[in-house]
């Protein structure tokens, strides 16, 4: 019989650099998406920053909250601008075809976004800080895989985690570092390579259909916490789908997939979901 206390068991697991639920495969790392997962950044963060940048560039473009939801199907800010301009301002796009203006416009958008974030306007979603600290304490490695520009990711984690931000996430895969953005698997493959771990040792937290498709196509299983823009989507390929991670006293809502056993998502719950993936067929790798 194991006579160790719960704290001792967790301490031993931390020393091994992962979390092993008795009788299951080890959860070595959790890979977080950013927008919609760490924080609900799109409507009141990125969208606002795009609109201000358009205005500063003298463009009469304005993305409403509803229209922005549709534009989120195009991942990546520069790609989104191009996509919109191709349909609504083809003359402008032709005139700036060398791409420099799109990059300048997007660069301004990123500066505005960072200032919004650093002013404290975009807090972490429920349970994120709690889970990040629990994973760290247990020795589970943390990484980020996002479509978003690196400076915007840094601003968001700095604003919300303070000084420890730079040491929390071991690998940050972001933006143009890969040729193809989500739903392509490239960013997840790169993060796995940098972690030097097989997909089976990791779990992803995502919020969007494109993000889930990217993770699955890299051979990773994902838990979906739906965001403001993805609340009406269905995620048949997710391991499980919940409203958010929840907090003690503020229950997470189970929306589909593997059942949620407590009122919030913690390491033990993640490890339990992860333990089922060994027998679960994955999509293409
Ligand atoms: C979401 C995105 C990003 C952001 C805008 O990324 O598609 O493009 O909307 O950021 P994820 P940029 O969910 O993968 O975190 O303007 O920096 O691209
Ligand atoms: Mg996202």
């Amino acid at each position: 019989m194991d006579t160790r206390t719960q704290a001792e068991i967790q301490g031993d697991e931390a020393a091994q650099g992962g979390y092993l639920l008795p009788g299951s495969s080890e959860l070595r790392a959790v890979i977080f998406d950013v927008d919609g997962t760490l924080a609900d950044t799109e409507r009141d963060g990125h969208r606002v920053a795009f609109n201000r940048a358009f205005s500063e560039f003298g463009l009469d473009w304005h993305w409403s909250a509803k229209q922005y939801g549709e534009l989120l199907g195009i991942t990546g800010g520069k790609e989104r601008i191009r996509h919109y301009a191709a349909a609504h301002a083809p003359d402008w796009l032709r005139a700036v075809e060398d791409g420099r203006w799109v990059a300048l416009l997007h660069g301004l958008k990123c500066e505005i976004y960072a200032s919004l974030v650093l002013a404290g306007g975009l807090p972490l979603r429920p349970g994120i800080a709690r889970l990040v600290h629990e994973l760290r304490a247990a020795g589970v490695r943390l990484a980020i895989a996002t479509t978003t520009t690196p400076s915007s990711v840094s601003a968001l984690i700095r604003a919300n985690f303070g000084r420890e931000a730079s040491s929390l996430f071991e690998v940050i895969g972001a933006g143009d570092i890969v040729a193809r953005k989500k739903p392509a698997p490239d960013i997840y493959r790169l993060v796995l390579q940098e972690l030097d771990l097989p997909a089976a040792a990791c779990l992803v937290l995502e919020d969007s259909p494109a993000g889930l498709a990217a993770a699955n196509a890299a051979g990773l299983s994902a838990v979906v916490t739906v965001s403001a823009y993805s609340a009406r989507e269905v995620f048949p390929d997710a391991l499980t789908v919940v409203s958010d991670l929840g907090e003690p006293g503020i229950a997470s809502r189970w929306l589909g997939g593997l059942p949620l056993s407590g009122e919030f998502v913690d390491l033990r719950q993640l490890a339990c979901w992860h333990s089922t993936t060994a027998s679960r067929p994955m999509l293409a790798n």
Side-chain angles (χ1 to χ4, degrees):
M1 195 179 98
D2 191 342
T3 54
R4 293 173 301 165
T5 64
Q6 190 57 35
E8 283 167 343
I9 293 169
Q10 284 184 350
D12 290 353
E13 283 153 354
Q16 290 161 14
Y19 187 87
L20 187 60
L21 200 68
S24 71
S25 63
E26 192 174 21
L27 175 60
R28 303 282 305 279
V30 175
I31 309 172
F32 290 82
D33 166 54
V34 173
D35 297 301
T37 300
L38 289 186
D40 229 328
T41 50
E42 295 290 9
R43 194 191 65 185
D44 301 326
H46 290 295
R47 184 185 70 93
V48 171
F50 278 114
N51 283 335
R52 286 198 196 157
F54 298 155
S55 159
E56 286 194 31
F57 260 58
L59 296 162
D60 64 351
W61 309 350
H62 180 86
W63 291 349
S64 69
K66 182 170 180 293
Q67 184 180 23
Y68 191 68
E70 287 151 18
L71 288 166
L72 282 177
I74 308 297
T75 57
K78 291 189 288 296
E79 293 79 353
R80 200 168 295 145
I81 291 170
R82 277 183 192 287
H83 171 86
Y84 176 85
H88 298 272
D91 293 345
W92 180 86
L93 193 58
R94 254 192 305 280
V96 301
E97 204 139 59
D98 65 4
R100 205 164 52 92
W101 282 95
V102 172
L104 285 174
L105 175 58
H106 184 255
L108 175 61
K109 173 261 161 181
C110 290
E111 281 174 31
I112 297 168
Y113 176 79
S115 65
L116 290 172
V117 163
L118 293 170
L122 295 160
L124 297 173
R125 294 193 63 195
I128 290 289
R130 170 184 54 74
L131 185 65
V132 161
H133 290 122
E134 188 189 3
L135 294 171
R136 284 281 295 181
V140 178
R141 300 163 70 190
L142 305 183
I144 279 177
T146 176
T147 303
T148 301
T149 306
S151 61
S152 298
V153 180
S154 306
L156 186 74
I157 60 175
R158 204 165 63 242
N160 285 293
F161 287 105
R163 279 204 195 144
E164 64 174 347
S166 58
S167 61
L168 285 175
F169 298 93
E170 196 180 319
V171 174
I172 298 185
D176 296 332
I177 195 169
V178 286
R180 300 176 308 162
K181 292 185 175 161
K182 299 175 188 176
D186 303 26
I187 196 70
Y188 279 108
R189 285 189 178 143
L190 182 77
V191 168
L192 284 175
Q193 203 179 313
E194 294 197 4
L195 285 170
D196 195 21
L197 285 175
C202 307
L203 210 52
V204 166
L205 289 186
E206 266 288 355
D207 76 299
S208 70
L212 176 64
N216 283 170
L220 287 150
S221 295
V223 169
V224 168
T225 51
V226 296
S227 55
Y229 276 119
S230 68
R232 284 160 192 245
E233 304 280 357
V234 285
F235 296 94
D237 298 320
L239 206 51
T240 192
V241 186
V242 287
S243 56
D244 52 55
L245 298 175
E247 295 283 24
I250 311 170
S252 160
R253 237 166 356 102
W254 174 82
L255 302 171
L258 297 172
L260 170 69
S261 51
E263 66 169 355
F264 57 90
V265 178
D266 59 5
L267 170 56
R268 198 167 181 82
Q269 177 68 84
L270 285 187
C272 174
W273 286 332
H274 175 253
S275 71
T276 69
T277 60
S279 54
R280 189 172 183 265
M282 281 306 307
L283 302 178
N285 199 346

